[in-house]
Amino acid sequence: MSAFPKEFLWGAASAAYQVEGAHDADGKGPSIWDTFSHLPGTTYQGTNGDVAVDHYHRFREDVALMAEMGMQSYRFSISWPRLLPQGRGTVNEAGVKFYSDLIDALLEHNIEPMITLYHWDLPQALQDEGGWEARSTAEAFEEYARLCYQRYGDRVKLWSTFNETVCFIGFGYITGGHPPGVQNPARAIQACHHVFVAHAKAVAAFRTSGIAGQIGFVNVLQTHTPLSQSAEDLAAYQLAEGIFTHWLYDPVLKGEYPAELLAQTQALWGVPQFAPGDEQLLRDNICDFIGLNYYKRETIAANNQESHLTINTTGEKGSGHQQGNEFGFKGLFKFVRNPNGVYTDWDWEIYPQGLTEGIMNIKARYGDIPIYITENGLGAKDPIIDGEVVDDDRIDYLRQHIGAIEDAIKQGADVRGYYPWSFIDLLSWLNGFQKQYGFIYVDHNKDLARQRKKSFFWYQKLIASNGAER
Ligand code: BG6
C-alpha cells in the first residue's frame, strides 16, 4: 500500500515545440522559437524543432505507447501559432483538428488530457508587435484561450495557462539565452506583469466558459538553501526566495505581488506599471491549482561581483556553475555549487527532499491549494547495452522523487498527480537531443523509431500498483 490516493493521476509531460515538428505544416505560423533556433549560435549544434520527434504525424503511435505504459494523464501544450498563425484573428482549422484528434485518441485510451496553453512558443507575429512587453499580447492570449476552451472544453478538464515564467521571462529578458534575447531586468518585470494579466484574463474567461474543470499555473519549484549560516548568505537566500518564489507565485495564488519587493522594484526601475483595474483583475482570478516543476535545488550565496551565466549544454560535468564565475546579480545573490551536493552531468543538483520541502513551503504560504507535480525528471545520456536502453539512473531519480511526494502527502499536502518529464525523448531547448528525459527512446538514425526503455516497464508496474511497487 502506498499513501497515494486512488484517484491520483500518474502521467507524463511534453511541450509542443519539443515533440511535434511539422513546424510549417498545414497552415501553422512561425513561433519565436522557429525564428530564434534558426539564428546561428543560439542552440546546441544548431538543433531546432523543425522535425523534433515528429509527434504531429505519429501521435497515434505515441498515444498507443502511453496507453501501454498505463499512463492515466498526459500533459501537453498547444502551439498557439498552429491555431492562430498571426496570434489572433483567422483560425487555422487544420491546427485545431490536430489537437482535437489527439484529445480524442487520449480519451479513447482513458488518458486524461492536461493542456498547457503556453509553453514558450509565442507566435512570431505577436513578437513583431512587441511580444510580452506589449499589453496587447495579453489580450491576444485571452482570445487564444477562449478559442481553446470553445474547441476542446467539452472534453478537457485540466488546464494551465503558462509554463515556467521564470524561464521564458528570465532567459528571454534577463540572460538573453531564449528569445527575444533581451538583457534588461526592467523590461523583464514589465513583460512578466503582462503574463500575469494574460493569465488572469484567461482564468476569468475560463470561469465564464462553463467548462467543468480546473485551471492553474505551472511554475518552477525552485528550492533554495543558503551556502552558509552567515548573515550575508542568509539575506541572499531570503532575497532569492522572494524573487524566485514569492514574486512568481503570489500574483497567481494570492492575487497580489509581495508588497516589499514591489515597492523596491517600482522605486528602482518604475516597474511593473499597472493599468487601471489590474490589481482587481489579479485578485479576482486566483488559480484552482498550482503545477510544480521540480528538477533541482539551488545553493545561494551573497554576491558582490558582476557575473554572467555559463550554462552546461554539453553534459560535461563541471562546465556549468564554474567557480569564480557563478551566475548571480551584483549586490543581491548568486547561485553556487553545493560542496556536499550530488550533481547530474548537466550540473543540476539531485536533491529529492527538496521536493517534499518545496511542496510543504507552498502549502505553508498558500494554504490547501491542490498541487500537481507537472514536471520532474533526469536529463542524461542513456546507456544502450545490447540494444536495450538501460536508464537505471533515471529510475533511481524518479523513485526517490516519488518517495518525496509520498512524504509530502503523508504530511498533509494535497498532491493530485505526477507528470515526469518526459513521456518521450524530445528536443531540449538549448541542449539538442543528447539530453534525454523520456521513457521512450527515439532513434534519430533510424527514421525516428520509438523504443521502450527500461524505465518504461518500471513506470508501467509502478502505475499499476498506484505507486506501491517501485
Ligand atoms: C523545464 C521545461 O524547464 O525543463 C521543459 O518546462 C524543459 O520544457 C525541461 O525541457 C528540461 O530542461 P532542459 O534544459 O534540460 O531541456
Side-chain angles (χ1 to χ4, degrees):
M1 272 282 283
S2 70
F4 294 99
K6 69 176 183 337
E7 58 283 0
F8 191 85
L9 290 176
W10 296 100
S14 78
Y17 182 72
Q18 298 179 271
V19 291
E20 286 177 6
H23 71 111
D24 59 357
D26 303 333
K28 175 180 170 292
S31 78
I32 53 174
W33 271 94
D34 292 316
T35 310
F36 181 78
S37 62
H38 283 95
L39 300 174
T42 52
T43 64
Y44 177 74
Q45 294 185 345
T47 38
N48 61 54
D50 288 5
V51 177
V53 295
D54 201 26
H55 177 68
Y56 185 78
H57 295 111
R58 298 176 192 230
F59 75 91
R60 289 189 195 282
E61 178 189 352
D62 290 342
V63 171
L65 284 163
M66 292 177 202
E68 183 187 328
M69 193 163 60
M71 267 168 61
Q72 297 162 344
S73 185
Y74 176 46
R75 172 178 180 247
F76 61 95
S77 77
I78 292 181
S79 159
W80 183 349
R82 202 180 282 293
L83 262 49
L84 293 163
Q86 294 300 314
R88 61 166 80 83
T90 309
V91 175
N92 177 33
E93 290 299 337
V96 173
K97 182 173 180 319
F98 167 67
Y99 297 105
S100 189
D101 290 349
L102 172 63
I103 291 164
D104 285 344
L106 291 167
L107 292 174
E108 275 161 28
H109 287 97
N110 293 319
I111 300 171
E112 181 94 53
M114 177 191 263
I115 286 180
T116 310
L117 289 172
Y118 187 83
H119 202 124
W120 310 352
D121 45 357
L122 184 74
Q124 181 62 46
L126 294 180
Q127 186 59 49
D128 296 343
E129 294 174 17
W132 288 112
E133 290 181 77
R135 199 181 169 84
S136 52
T137 296
E139 279 139 26
F141 183 77
E142 182 189 346
E143 179 183 328
Y144 158 62
R146 281 182 194 278
L147 173 67
C148 294
Y149 305 154
Q150 278 160 13
R151 302 305 184 94
Y152 311 129
D154 56 338
R155 287 161 289 163
V156 179
K157 298 195 209 84
L158 290 172
W159 298 76
S160 46
T161 52
F162 288 89
N163 180 70
E164 297 188 350
T165 325
V166 72
C167 283
F168 73 90
I169 294 294
F171 291 133
Y173 293 88
I174 295 180
T175 68
H178 281 198
V182 172
Q183 295 184 22
N184 183 317
R187 288 170 64 184
I189 290 166
Q190 191 60 36
C192 190
H193 180 66
H194 292 149
V195 170
F196 292 138
V197 168
H199 163 77
K201 283 175 178 287
V203 171
F206 186 82
R207 302 246 156 94
T208 55
S209 70
I211 297 175
Q214 293 198 309
I215 188 152
F217 194 95
V218 173
N219 262 329
V220 172
L221 181 65
Q222 190 156 301
T223 310
H224 303 107
T225 188
L227 179 65
S228 77
Q229 293 300 309
S230 73
E232 294 79 10
D233 284 350
L234 286 173
Y237 158 78
Q238 291 296 349
L239 209 48
E241 278 287 296
I243 293 172
F244 286 95
T245 305
H246 307 161
W247 190 272
L248 297 168
Y249 284 74
D250 284 13
V252 300
L253 291 180
K254 293 172 104 178
E256 61 189 21
Y257 284 91
E260 206 178 313
L261 272 181
L262 179 65
Q264 283 167 1
T265 52
Q266 286 184 327
L268 193 59
W269 289 308
V271 286
Q273 285 168 9
F274 290 73
D278 278 2
E279 273 120 331
Q280 192 64 39
L281 184 71
L282 295 186
R283 259 200 304 276
D284 288 347
N285 292 289
I286 287 170
C287 294
D288 296 324
F289 69 85
I290 188 78
L292 306 178
N293 293 353
Y294 180 76
Y295 290 89
K296 58 181 165 143
R297 174 171 75 164
E298 294 286 1
T299 301
I300 304 295
N303 181 33
N304 290 315
Q305 62 183 35
E306 294 291 354
S307 58
H308 64 272
L309 180 60
T310 322
I311 300 185
N312 171 348
T313 57
T314 58
E316 300 299 327
K317 216 176 202 154
S319 57
H321 272 324
Q322 283 150 348
Q323 227 186 342
N325 184 30
E326 294 107 338
F327 177 63
F329 302 94
K330 190 176 177 188
L332 303 180
F333 57 83
K334 63 180 174 182
F335 300 104
V336 299
R337 201 172 179 96
N338 181 347
N340 306 314
V342 177
Y343 282 82
T344 72
D345 288 344
W346 266 267
D347 297 313
W348 290 21
E349 190 189 358
I350 301 177
Y351 185 68
Q353 303 94 299
L355 182 50
T356 317
E357 291 164 12
I359 292 170
M360 298 320 291
N361 287 343
I362 295 294
K363 182 172 159 59
R365 188 170 176 92
Y366 303 108
D368 287 325
I369 181 87
I371 292 172
Y372 291 86
I373 305 304
T374 34
E375 286 181 34
N376 173 238
L378 175 72
K381 295 178 189 171
D382 296 333
I384 301 185
I385 302 171
D386 295 333
E388 195 198 350
V389 185
V390 189
D391 54 343
D392 287 319
D393 290 349
R394 174 162 307 104
I395 293 173
D396 278 350
Y397 179 100
L398 297 176
R399 180 188 289 128
Q400 291 179 52
H401 285 80
I402 290 168
I405 296 168
E406 191 174 29
D407 287 347
I409 292 174
K410 284 182 188 154
Q411 290 174 41
D414 182 7
V415 187
R416 299 187 176 185
Y418 179 58
Y419 298 78
W421 186 266
S422 50
F423 159 61
I424 195 165
D425 284 350
L426 40 67
L427 175 73
S428 166
W429 307 87
L430 298 181
N431 301 275
F433 295 99
Q434 49 158 0
K435 193 176 185 186
Q436 298 161 263
Y437 279 97
F439 295 110
I440 291 170
Y441 169 70
V442 176
D443 192 340
H444 287 261
N445 297 315
K446 217 169 106 194
D447 192 30
L448 303 178
R450 276 55 171 154
Q451 183 181 337
R452 297 159 189 80
K453 299 185 191 177
K454 190 172 174 185
S455 59
F456 179 99
F457 301 104
W458 170 82
Y459 196 43
Q460 190 181 47
K461 277 201 188 134
L462 183 140
I463 296 174
S465 64
N466 196 26
E469 211 176 305
R470 55 177 194 257

